């Protein structure tokens, strides 16, 4: 596996961050070991969270291999880059396959990055956790490290919200690792992780230096803190609807990609045979 592509992507991301003048504050990066397998488990509030969590690895001289939904790997250029960086595609219908890849990475001494909420939280508060991150850390006996990202929702997130305003603050807080016992139950470990991540997320919110400019700018603040974000119940409903729409869009992209691949094979076949005879399915339908 080559990390050349990963280094180029990091440089590009840092260039974008500099152009936007982002004020990025990473705290607690020392909790990620400089060597050996580890699992970074982060909350999810914006589309760029993986880049900010990746900065934790960069500070420790590590590359983070993220589990990302299958749709991200569908576009040819982006998909090729994701695979070259060693990230793992997640098919929600067959999650056990991606989990095996994550286990292999962690056992090989890699840092694996997961978002246990499985989607961006519309309420900006923690959703129920899926047990994948806890399972990988438990089975591989590697540190399970909570990471809170706050402020990235102001840059690019769900609902078509994005901002190119310079100087936005992003706070990343890394908590102390959990060390699950070999016989620990992943669901129980996942609950411990959620509690630990809640503490770290609260710390990130409390340390965040920016405040809303006016009432219209309170959308990125949780309702529990006086913001206008959806409450937990409405947030969960929007999350589920968002996942459903994302799955439908991803399936449509995959079907289009397969169709293009079939058309390319047909064209290559015509060139190879030196003729322009219609494929059997077309001849049969025309007869």
């Amino acid at each position: 596996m080559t990390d050349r592509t990963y280094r180029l992507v990091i440089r590009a991301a840092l260039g974008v961050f500099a152009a936007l003048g982002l004020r990025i504050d990473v705290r607690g990066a020392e909790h990620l070991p400089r060597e050996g397998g580890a699992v970074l488990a982060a909350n999810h509030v914006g589309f760029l969270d993986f880049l900010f969590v990746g900065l934790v690895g960069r500070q420790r001289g590590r590359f983070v291999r993220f589990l990302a939904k299958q749709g991200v790997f569908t576009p040819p250029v982006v998909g090729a880059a994701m695979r070259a960086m060693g990230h793992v595609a997640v098919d929600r219908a067959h999650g056990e396959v991606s989990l095996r890849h994550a286990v292999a990475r962690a056992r090989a001494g890699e840092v694996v990055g997961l978002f246990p909420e499985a989607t961006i939280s519309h309420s900006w508060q923690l959703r129920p956790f899926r047990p994948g991150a806890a399972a990988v850390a438990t089975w591989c006996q590697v540190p399970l490290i909570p990471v809170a990202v706050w402020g990235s929702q102001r840059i690019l997130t769900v609902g078509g919200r994005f901002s190119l305003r310079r100087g936005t603050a992003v706070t990343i807080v890394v908590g102390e690792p959990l060390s699950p016992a070999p016989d620990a139950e992943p669901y129980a470990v996942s609950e411990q992780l959620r509690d630990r991540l809640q503490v770290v997320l609260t710390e990130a919110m409390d340390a965040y230096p920016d405040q809303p400019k006016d009432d219209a700018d309170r959308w990125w603040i949780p309702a529990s803190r006086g913001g206008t974000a959806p409450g937990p119940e409405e947030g969960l409903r929007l999350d589920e609807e968002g996942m459903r729409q994302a799955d439908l869009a991803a399936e449509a992209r995959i079907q289009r990609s397969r169709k293009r691949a079939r058309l390319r094979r047909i064209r290559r076949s015509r060139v190879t045979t030196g003729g322009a005879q219609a494929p059997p399915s077309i001849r049969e339908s025309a007869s």
Side-chain angles (χ1 to χ4, degrees):
M1 179 186 299
T2 175
D3 289 319
R4 181 180 301 174
T5 301
Y6 211 136
R7 292 188 180 91
L8 290 174
V9 170
I10 289 174
R11 290 173 189 164
L14 292 175
V16 172
F17 294 165
L20 292 174
L22 300 185
R23 293 146 46 222
I24 301 173
D25 180 16
V26 181
R27 305 182 179 196
E30 67 275 6
H31 291 307
L32 173 63
R34 289 194 179 276
E35 58 184 22
V39 175
L40 293 180
N43 69 313
H44 206 2
V45 292
F47 291 120
L48 302 182
D49 288 342
F50 73 98
L51 293 175
F52 296 117
V53 176
L55 292 179
V56 177
R58 181 175 181 272
Q59 288 202 2
R60 303 293 286 172
R62 310 293 304 272
F63 293 114
V64 183
R65 316 298 178 182
F66 286 96
L67 271 68
K69 57 189 177 183
Q70 179 70 48
V72 178
F73 290 76
T74 304
V77 176
V78 175
M82 292 291 285
R83 284 184 285 272
M85 288 187 285
H87 301 314
V88 178
V90 177
D91 181 352
R92 288 196 179 105
H94 303 284
E96 70 281 357
V97 176
S98 55
L99 206 58
R100 285 199 294 269
H101 285 295
V103 166
R105 297 279 199 283
R107 284 181 174 159
E110 297 275 5
V111 180
V112 178
L114 296 95
F115 296 97
E117 297 170 281
T119 191
I120 292 175
S121 170
H122 282 73
S123 69
W124 316 133
Q125 297 177 295
L126 294 181
R127 288 171 36 80
F129 276 20
R130 296 187 178 181
V136 174
T138 300
W139 297 339
C140 299
Q141 285 296 280
V142 298
L144 177 57
I145 306 168
V147 182
V149 179
W150 189 248
S152 69
Q153 71 269 36
R154 300 177 63 199
I155 302 169
L156 181 63
T157 193
V158 291
R161 291 184 179 275
F162 72 95
S163 173
L164 299 179
R165 180 181 289 115
R166 288 181 53 80
T168 299
V170 178
T171 299
I172 303 138
V173 179
V174 185
E176 294 185 5
L178 284 81
S179 300
D183 59 349
E185 208 285 315
Y187 281 94
V189 175
S190 191
E191 286 303 309
Q192 295 172 20
L193 170 64
R194 192 177 187 279
D195 291 343
R196 185 74 61 87
L197 187 49
Q198 181 61 66
V199 172
V200 179
L201 179 57
T202 298
E203 181 181 342
M205 290 180 181
D206 291 343
Y208 194 69
D210 291 352
Q211 297 296 324
K213 299 188 303 298
D214 50 39
D215 287 344
D217 191 38
R218 304 189 73 81
W219 63 268
W220 54 272
I221 304 292
S224 61
R225 288 184 169 236
T228 57
E233 290 187 7
E234 175 64 8
L236 285 174
R237 186 191 68 79
L238 292 171
D239 296 343
E240 296 302 320
E241 175 63 20
M243 283 193 287
R244 189 182 71 83
Q245 294 294 337
D247 286 344
L248 290 174
E251 181 60 28
R253 287 196 296 270
I254 291 171
Q255 293 300 326
R256 288 195 298 270
S257 178
R258 288 173 177 169
K259 183 177 180 180
R260 288 194 293 268
R262 285 196 298 269
L263 289 174
R264 285 195 295 269
R265 286 196 296 270
I266 291 171
R267 293 191 187 103
R268 283 197 296 267
S269 176
R270 288 176 177 177
V271 171
T272 302
T273 58
Q277 187 178 19
S281 59
I282 298 177
R283 295 200 305 272
E284 290 167 3
S285 64
S287 61

